[in-house]
Amino acid sequence: MSTDPGEAPRSRTRTARVRGPGRRGGEPWSAAEVRELARNRLIESRLTPNAISVTGLIGNIVAAVLVTQRLFFLAGIAFVLGSVMDTLDGRYSRMSGKGTPFGAFLDSTLDRIEEGIVLAAVAAYFASRHMELAVAATVVAVLGSLMVSYTRARAEALGVECKVGIATRPVRVVILSVGLIFAKGASLGSFELLAPAVYVLAVLTTFTAIQRVAHVRRALAQAAA
């Protein structure tokens, strides 16, 4: 058996046990068993993917309201939490087997509404400050985000997988979250990153939509050749 000191921590990590109430005569639960137990309990619960989707919508509505009140840090937190729920609903649907065709449709529809409603609140904030360029960029960002999603959906309807591009949904969430959390008056220093974040979103979403159009054109041309 090796006595290399560097191997000991790896061995202890693999056999790590979770402290707490034991089982089978006092034997502790392993971390993997705790995760499996939690997953099974969640699947057995009455929680549905649609409920998670609606919770995400509520979180984003709260974020939009907070933007109108200039509470940007709290808006950023609410937006992050709502977006996390958007991510969880699809995974939970696949994991639990509770997904339905309508649930998938609802999930995609609410995703577009959530992103749009927060950006609409941001546009209203820019308009109140007479930042016409930022308002226009926000409109472009909304249109670009919709086109990124639409091009993928239309491509998949044609039998072409279309996940290419920079400004995927997680990337857009990160950019807008940073903009909100570090907006002017968010109590995190003298930062003013909301307008720059929107400018970046406008450019990246437009570029990504173009990327996807070009990708689908190439894929269909290759299939026809």
Side-chain angles (χ1 to χ4, degrees):
M1 179 181 297
S2 172
T3 58
D4 184 353
E7 294 184 0
R10 290 196 296 269
S11 177
R12 286 197 295 269
T13 300
R14 287 195 299 269
T15 59
R17 295 278 173 171
V18 176
R19 296 182 181 276
R23 59 176 173 77
R24 294 196 296 270
E27 183 181 349
W29 295 90
S30 70
E33 288 169 332
V34 169
R35 288 194 298 269
E36 180 71 13
L37 180 64
R39 185 180 72 87
N40 291 339
R41 290 292 182 269
L42 185 61
I43 291 174
E44 293 168 2
S45 71
R46 295 184 179 180
L47 183 65
T48 65
N50 290 353
I52 298 177
S53 297
V54 172
T55 302
L57 173 63
I58 293 172
N60 281 273
I61 291 174
V62 170
V65 171
L66 291 170
V67 168
T68 65
Q69 302 302 309
R70 310 295 191 265
L71 299 174
F72 295 110
F73 180 78
L74 293 178
I77 298 302
F79 178 65
V80 169
L81 293 177
S83 299
V84 167
M85 299 302 288
D86 292 339
T87 302
L88 289 178
D89 56 6
R91 293 183 180 180
Y92 179 66
S93 175
R94 293 188 295 271
M95 179 182 70
S96 65
K98 296 180 180 179
T100 63
F102 174 74
F105 167 79
L106 180 66
D107 178 26
S108 297
T109 302
L110 294 184
D111 283 351
R112 306 292 78 76
I113 294 173
E114 291 160 4
E115 197 168 7
I117 197 171
V118 175
L119 285 172
V122 170
Y125 163 71
F126 288 144
S128 70
R129 297 183 61 190
H130 306 289
M131 299 172 64
E132 290 82 2
L133 181 60
V135 173
T138 307
V139 173
V140 173
V142 172
L143 178 60
S145 296
L146 292 175
M147 288 306 300
V148 168
S149 300
Y150 175 80
T151 49
R152 176 180 174 180
R154 193 70 186 95
E156 291 178 348
L158 295 172
V160 178
E161 185 176 3
C162 188
K163 297 181 180 180
V164 301
I166 301 173
T168 59
R169 171 71 169 157
V171 172
R172 300 197 302 272
V173 167
V174 170
I175 293 172
L176 185 54
S177 298
V178 170
L180 289 171
I181 292 174
F182 292 97
K184 186 176 181 180
S187 301
L188 290 177
S190 57
F191 298 102
E192 177 59 279
L193 297 186
L194 184 54
V198 170
Y199 296 143
V200 171
L201 277 176
V203 172
L204 291 185
T205 53
T206 301
F207 182 70
T208 300
I210 295 172
Q211 279 184 299
R212 292 189 169 183
V213 170
H215 168 76
V216 173
R217 183 177 183 274
R218 286 193 301 269
L220 292 176
Q222 290 172 0

